[in-house]
Amino acid sequence: MGPFRVVRPADMLVADIGLVNLRWDGHRLVRREPAAPTLILIGLPPQHVLEEVAPPQAATTASPGPMKAFASGASQLVFSVPPEVDGLELSLESLLDWERLVPMTVPVVQPGATPTGLPGSVLEFPTRLLLTYDEPVDWVCPPEPRNADGRTGLWHARLTGERGGEALLRAFARAEDRTPVAERVPLSAADLEALVTLTSRQKLFDTDNAAIVLPSAPLHAEQFIVTPLGASTHLHGAWDDLTEKAAAQLDSIRRNRPNLAAYDHITGLGRDQFVRVVTRGFLCTGHPALLVTEYKRLFVADRDGGVTAYLQREDRILPRVPEVRYGETTGFPHQGREMPFRTLRITDRVTPPIKPVWPPKLPGQDQPLAVEAFWVELQDGSRDHEFTVIGTDHEGRDVSFTIPLVFVPASRAGEFEQLGRLYAPEEAKATSNRLERTLGGQVMAMAKPPADAPGSTSHAVGSLVFQMVPKSDGGEHPLAGTLVVSRAEVQVPALEPFTPNASRVPVRFNTVYVERGMAAHPARAYLDLDAAVDLAFAAEQSGGLARPNAAVKVITSQAGVVPDMFRTDATGAVGAAPMTDIRQAFGAAKLLGFIDLGDLVGDIAGQGLDRLGQLGDNDIQAVLDDDNGRLPAPVLRIRDLENGAGKELRYVWKTGLEPPTLGPQDKPPLLDVDGTVLTLDARTTTSKEAGPTTSVEGRLRHIALNVAGVARVEIAELTFRAVPGSKPDVTASGLELKFDGDLEFINTLRSALPADAFGSGAFVDVQPSGIRTGYTLALPAIGVGVFSLANVSLTAELTIPFEPAKAISLRFSVSERQRPFNVTVSLFGGGGYFSLLVDAEEGIREAEGAIEFGGSAALNLGVASGGVTVMAGVRFEHKGKAVTVGGYLRCNGFLSVLGIVTVSVEFYLELTYEKKDGQSVVRGRGTLTVSVKIAFFSKSVTLSLERSFSGAPGDPTFVDCFDKDTHWEEYCLSFDGDS
């Protein structure tokens, strides 16, 4: 019999009734075929209304206005007429008497099985989710309207379990999408799909045809009452975690993993009153957590003074496991060396209400997908919720800090894309600096210390900067990414006396330590400073001789803080850095005030660095006293003074020097460091009563300096000591000055002198500003026949300054301008001087000299007497870029007759060449003076002439004077004797 609609206005019953295998025999409904199934189908109106969720502000402000609502599809109850019932009355009361009928369920159709073709009961609740019975149930409904106190009750039917308890239901499918729904609804498409996966009892098989074992469990209906206006229900369900095997099997058949952990649903007449959806997931630290989303109907006063009830959403995060452990097998790319914590414990039991994150809705899809990973923010979105975390380091020390975290749904755990995007610097810093966390100076071990050096990797940490990196294959971490520490700010006590920022030094993990472990590094390094710190001493602290400067960058457990002296080759093996990197490491360190120490430091032997950490004070002193002992790298040691007076930092280094590498255009090196050994021992003491004080002791052995190719000074040992409150003490021993090249003849002269330190006139003057050494050699007067040489002295002076702005200089002179030497030969005589100043930077700085010569003759005949004098001289001067060359000739004579008449004549001629700043000038001047004296009368007449000729920087050059393309060959052939 075809379906027909029944409407009973008294109790608002509306139902579509269909009869299967029943016919009217004139008196009652009987079976058409006795052996065929006999069914009664009851079609009910929509039992659920899907409402849009109001925005969060609607709970505290005026009504947000109309919300979208969508009715579910019709539900159908199917009843089987049992064999003992031989007929039914054709009345509404008889057709609604369901207690004698058997409710039919939708059978579970397993893969490969043939469907029965019989209809089953289908309840669309909530909207777009199709439910049926999981076990036998009963329906209880009044066949006739019920009246009380003049009122008629609404028609309804109650679903109960087989023995009157709660009914068990399963979701076997999702209804086809009919019309688009709102984006903000309590149950997403992923939630509905999860309910089907977890309750349908349908067996699933993976690509290997292996059964997938799912944590299947039915929905419990404590109450399920259908009415013409919608169902009044109370459903709930809970499911265990999905095993890793089952998750992998679902991935293999491209089926979404169900995130749903629990579900509660309360409605009244089809309208939602309370919905709880519990989503299983993880915090980005690896802690299993639950996202609890609750929808409640709240009453809000509207603008017109009425009251409207809207659905409001409230989310919270519940960490399921408060503590997670990290280790080598956790999934870190480098066995956990980039994570200084062994455990992280979250103290939050539950978060305050957080900002709801709605799942995205892709184009072409009517319902939104599952929620994606998101930062946990407070409900108003003003800031992140910062979880309180207690981390345990490698030495069992606990540190506490707060950190914002990301929640990752379980279905997204195997995807790194979302995590990587959320932890990208531009995304993580959009609201606040989520990556950097303040620890406030708590002490923690940044790396696992060696067994023989506990506490050697511990620092007071100012902050940690976290980073998300992909998980390594086979790791036990539940997420596709692991949280690691990329950078930090730590306190380095060894640097505090040198830099005011040592309490907050930015560092990152050493590359060798991260990739291969601390044991693979020669000095057991584990941290690198972001920027090298220059340890600089003032020149006056070290006597100006050498500054124990170094740019330290590597923090080690064995040798303290050392320069960055290590590199890895293609195989990953660690060795010493090349010389170029060593030079950079020592930065502006100076030797003798002006020589870059980095240019003289050779490759550092990495094999000796591993023992630096075990050297005690006595061991270090033994190395300093041993001529062959070496400390392959600067050693920084800090110790507490007695009675808590303060701290002492000791900087010790003893190394050999190597000559710098010369290029094709480089000059010979100034220093000869073959066999040179440099020893530095600096101590800085800090105390509460006084500021930091530094004392420096040092020694240079076997060093020589070559000056401009004309002089060489050899120093056997140069020591210096600077102690607070005292004048720096610098001493030198074994100094020897030798001349080379054009001045080598001085060595020959010196060999004739007594064999003491330098010969007569030698001097050595050592001051904190530099060293002056040399001698003045005065030659005795020499007379041989008519030849006489007197007042000759040779002076050589070498200056080694300790100031960076000055260079080594050598001054050599033959006599001086104020004390020229004298030479006479018979009637002729003269004199002169010569002075030369050269330095290691500019070469010749000053040069000057002069020589004069001449003769005189006298005649006396009694009646007349007279005389003639002729003198000539040449002088030159070179100073900087200025050059002056000049010469003169002076002739004078006189004649006197009887003393009455005297005539004298004087002639003077001078020629000078000057060049300064690119300009050259030639000047010439001549003077003739004639004097006549007769008795008491005298008269003089002078005639003068002066001329000058100036050149110009733009004067044509030799090349400019002819065309090289046409005239050059002709010009060259003019010098050919055969042409």
Side-chain angles (χ1 to χ4, degrees):
M1 182 180 294
F4 55 91
R5 173 162 291 187
V6 175
V7 178
R8 191 166 63 189
D11 56 2
M12 302 181 66
L13 170 63
V14 176
D16 295 325
I17 301 177
L19 303 177
V20 178
N21 196 32
L22 289 173
R23 65 181 178 84
W24 173 251
D25 64 354
H27 300 284
R28 54 191 309 181
L29 295 172
V30 296
R31 288 181 174 85
R32 290 180 182 274
E33 299 179 9
T38 303
L39 305 175
I40 298 178
L41 284 65
I42 307 295
L44 298 176
Q47 294 298 305
H48 183 253
V49 177
L50 179 66
E51 293 183 50
E52 184 180 14
V53 180
Q57 61 270 23
T60 55
T61 61
S63 168
M67 294 285 103
K68 297 179 182 179
F70 306 87
S72 67
S75 295
Q76 176 179 269
L77 305 182
V78 178
F79 297 94
S80 174
V81 180
E84 59 269 18
V85 179
D86 56 355
L88 298 173
E89 298 292 333
L90 185 58
S91 65
L92 183 59
E93 291 77 7
S94 176
L95 294 176
L96 295 180
D97 187 7
W98 297 340
E99 292 184 9
R100 56 179 177 164
L101 303 179
V102 178
M104 299 291 291
T105 184
V106 176
V108 177
V109 181
Q110 304 299 345
T114 302
T116 62
L118 295 177
S121 300
V122 177
L123 298 166
E124 184 172 340
F125 184 92
T127 303
R128 296 188 176 179
L129 184 66
L130 304 181
L131 301 180
T132 191
Y133 319 129
D134 189 61
E135 65 176 14
V137 296
D138 294 319
W139 283 96
V140 178
C141 71
E144 298 180 355
R146 292 185 176 182
N147 298 313
D149 299 331
R151 299 179 181 180
T152 302
L154 182 69
W155 178 89
H156 62 278
R158 180 186 295 274
L159 177 67
T160 63
E162 187 177 17
R163 290 174 293 276
E166 61 183 17
L168 300 181
L169 304 175
R170 56 184 173 87
F172 64 91
R174 287 174 53 198
E176 296 181 357
D177 296 336
R178 296 177 295 275
T179 57
V181 299
E183 296 183 13
R184 299 172 180 264
V185 294
L187 293 176
S188 67
D191 296 330
L192 300 177
E193 182 181 355
L195 286 171
V196 173
T197 301
L198 295 172
T199 66
S200 66
R201 297 194 183 278
Q202 182 181 9
K203 291 185 178 180
L204 299 176
F205 298 90
D206 62 13
T207 53
D208 296 329
N209 202 31
I212 302 176
V213 180
L214 298 173
S216 179
L219 288 171
H220 295 255
E222 295 182 9
Q223 175 180 290
F224 204 109
I225 302 174
V226 295
T227 73
L229 300 180
S232 296
T233 66
H234 185 181
L235 300 180
H236 64 85
W239 298 272
D240 295 332
D241 290 351
L242 198 66
T243 64
E244 293 185 5
K245 180 180 179 180
Q249 289 176 308
L250 289 175
D251 292 340
S252 69
I253 61 174
R254 297 184 179 276
R255 185 152 182 170
N256 295 328
R257 303 181 187 181
N259 292 334
L260 203 60
Y263 166 63
D264 288 89
H265 205 146
I266 300 175
T267 60
L269 299 179
R271 305 295 294 272
D272 291 332
Q273 306 300 318
F274 176 82
V275 180
R276 177 190 289 124
V277 178
V278 181
T279 302
R280 186 177 290 108
F282 302 91
L283 295 173
C284 56
T285 52
H287 291 79
L290 298 175
L291 170 62
V292 180
T293 303
E294 294 182 348
Y295 303 88
K296 300 177 183 178
R297 188 171 297 278
L298 302 177
F299 292 85
V300 180
D302 59 24
R303 297 181 178 88
D304 300 329
V307 177
T308 307
Y310 289 94
L311 284 177
Q312 296 288 330
R313 174 177 173 175
E314 188 175 88
D315 289 20
R316 285 181 170 85
I317 298 289
L318 281 76
R320 295 172 56 200
V321 179
E323 182 175 286
V324 295
R325 293 185 173 274
Y326 301 131
E328 296 181 359
T329 61
T330 303
F332 294 102
H334 300 100
Q335 299 180 333
R337 288 185 289 271
E338 60 272 73
M339 169 56 82
F341 298 111
R342 296 302 86 199
T343 65
L344 283 180
R345 184 168 69 257
I346 295 179
T347 62
D348 303 61
R349 297 292 183 89
V350 61
T351 68
I354 65 173
K355 178 182 178 181
V357 177
W358 296 95
K361 184 177 180 182
L362 298 181
Q365 293 204 2
D366 294 335
Q367 282 193 308
L369 304 176
V371 66
E372 295 183 347
F374 60 88
W375 286 101
V376 180
E377 302 179 59
L378 295 181
Q379 190 172 38
D380 58 2
S382 61
R383 59 187 178 90
D384 297 314
H385 169 68
E386 296 191 355
F387 291 82
T388 300
V389 177
I390 298 176
T392 304
D393 67 5
H394 290 276
E395 295 188 311
R397 190 184 295 108
D398 290 340
V399 295
S400 176
F401 57 97
T402 61
I403 183 172
L405 298 176
V406 171
F407 177 81
V408 184
S411 61
R412 303 287 190 180
E415 303 174 7
F416 181 74
E417 180 182 358
Q418 292 183 18
L419 267 177
R421 185 183 71 249
L422 291 174
Y423 266 89
E426 60 274 9
E427 176 73 18
K429 295 182 179 181
T431 303
S432 61
N433 191 358
R434 291 163 163 157
L435 304 182
E436 184 172 357
R437 295 289 92 199
T438 301
L439 267 69
Q442 298 179 78
V443 177
M444 61 173 288
M446 293 298 294
K448 184 178 180 179
D452 57 350
S456 59
T457 62
S458 296
H459 297 268
V461 179
S463 63
L464 296 176
V465 178
F466 290 90
Q467 179 185 7
M468 184 64 63
V469 298
K471 182 186 71 171
S472 63
D473 295 337
E476 299 173 357
H477 196 68
L479 300 178
T482 58
L483 201 63
V484 301
V485 173
S486 62
R487 290 185 294 109
E489 283 190 350
V490 303
Q491 184 176 355
V492 184
L495 298 180
E496 288 184 347
F498 297 95
T499 171
N501 299 322
S503 58
R504 291 292 185 269
V505 179
V507 298
R508 63 182 68 242
F509 286 111
N510 179 267
T511 303
V512 176
Y513 162 74
V514 171
E515 294 180 353
R516 303 187 60 199
M518 191 182 299
H521 196 282
R524 305 298 187 262
Y526 59 97
L527 290 178
D528 286 347
L529 304 180
D530 273 6
V533 175
D534 293 331
L535 305 183
F537 290 79
E540 61 273 11
Q541 288 179 321
S542 57
L545 178 63
R547 298 187 185 186
N549 300 357
V552 294
K553 192 174 183 180
V554 180
I555 302 177
T556 72
S557 64
Q558 298 283 16
V561 188
V562 298
D564 187 9
M565 301 172 292
F566 312 99
R567 292 295 182 272
T568 55
D569 58 20
T571 65
V574 185
M579 186 184 298
T580 54
D581 294 328
I582 297 299
R583 291 171 182 172
Q584 293 177 2
F586 286 98
K590 298 294 183 180
L591 182 66
L592 298 177
F594 64 94
I595 300 170
D596 287 334
L597 185 57
D599 291 340
L600 305 175
V601 177
D603 294 341
I604 291 182
Q607 65 271 14
L609 293 170
D610 54 356
R611 65 184 183 88
L612 294 182
Q614 289 98 27
L615 292 178
D617 291 341
N618 294 333
D619 299 324
I620 293 176
Q621 192 60 44
V623 173
L624 298 181
D625 296 337
D626 184 0
D627 290 344
N628 298 321
R630 297 290 187 274
L631 292 175
V635 177
L636 292 177
R637 292 295 174 80
I638 187 169
R639 68 181 182 91
D640 295 325
L641 300 178
E642 295 181 358
N643 300 324
K647 291 182 178 293
E648 179 191 74
L649 174 69
R650 189 179 185 187
Y651 176 108
V652 186
W653 189 30
K654 185 179 182 182
T655 182
L657 303 181
E658 294 186 4
T661 303
L662 297 179
Q665 304 298 327
D666 289 344
K667 298 182 294 184
L670 175 63
L671 259 65
D672 183 354
V673 293
D674 185 18
T676 300
V677 178
L678 171 66
T679 302
L680 294 174
D681 189 354
R683 301 170 189 258
T684 297
T685 302
T686 59
S687 62
K688 299 179 180 179
E689 293 75 13
T693 57
T694 300
S695 62
V696 179
E697 296 183 16
R699 180 187 303 127
L700 267 175
R701 300 180 60 190
H702 308 303
I703 189 169
L705 298 95
N706 297 306
V707 184
V710 296
R712 173 184 175 89
V713 60
E714 297 179 352
I715 307 174
E717 184 172 275
L718 186 63
T719 60
F720 55 93
R721 177 180 174 83
V723 180
S726 302
K727 180 180 179 181
D729 179 20
V730 182
T731 59
S733 62
L735 274 75
E736 185 175 3
L737 181 62
K738 298 179 180 180
F739 292 90
D740 297 326
D742 295 336
L743 300 183
E744 191 173 3
F745 72 93
I746 301 177
N747 297 326
T748 304
L749 290 176
R750 197 186 77 175
S751 63
L753 300 176
D756 53 11
F758 287 100
S760 178
F763 63 90
V764 176
D765 183 15
V766 181
Q767 298 289 337
S769 59
I771 300 175
R772 289 176 62 251
T773 179
Y775 51 80
T776 299
L777 180 63
L779 300 182
I782 301 174
V784 180
V786 295
F787 175 82
S788 176
L789 178 64
N791 201 30
V792 178
S793 64
L794 300 179
T795 301
E797 179 181 319
L798 180 68
T799 302
I800 305 174
F802 296 156
E803 300 178 15
K806 296 182 179 181
I808 291 180
S809 62
L810 172 70
R811 185 176 184 276
F812 173 75
S813 65
V814 180
S815 297
E816 301 288 348
R817 180 193 300 182
Q818 61 274 23
R819 292 187 301 275
F821 60 82
N822 298 321
V823 180
T824 60
V825 180
S826 186
L827 299 177
F828 301 96
Y833 66 92
F834 171 76
S835 177
L836 175 67
L837 178 63
V838 297
D839 67 21
E841 295 289 336
E842 301 179 10
I844 299 176
R845 285 174 46 188
E846 294 181 12
E848 64 174 350
I851 187 169
E852 295 180 330
F853 56 89
S856 62
L859 179 65
N860 189 347
L861 299 176
V863 177
S865 62
V868 178
T869 302
V870 179
M871 293 292 296
V874 178
R875 181 182 180 276
F876 69 91
E877 180 180 5
H878 170 79
K879 190 172 186 178
K881 295 182 179 181
V883 177
T884 302
V885 180
Y888 73 92
L889 174 65
R890 177 185 290 112
C891 300
N892 59 53
F894 72 93
L895 177 63
S896 176
V897 180
L898 299 176
I900 300 174
V901 177
T902 303
V903 178
S904 62
V905 178
E906 181 180 23
F907 175 75
Y908 179 80
L909 179 62
E910 178 183 295
L911 184 64
T912 305
Y913 169 81
E914 298 179 358
K915 185 174 183 180
K916 185 177 183 180
D917 298 330
Q919 296 286 343
S920 57
V921 178
V922 176
R923 293 187 178 89
R925 183 164 64 92
T927 302
L928 176 63
T929 302
V930 179
S931 300
V932 178
K933 180 179 179 183
I934 302 174
F936 299 103
F937 172 79
S938 65
K939 181 67 173 179
S940 296
V941 178
T942 301
L943 301 177
S944 300
L945 178 63
E946 182 174 347
R947 292 289 185 270
S948 63
F949 305 91
S950 300
D955 289 345
T957 64
F958 175 78
V959 177
D960 296 331
C961 295
F962 60 89
D963 188 344
K964 64 180 179 179
D965 295 330
T966 59
H967 299 154
W968 177 251
E969 184 177 359
E970 180 180 353
Y971 175 80
C972 293
L973 290 176
S974 64
F975 293 92
D976 191 347
D978 298 333
S979 61

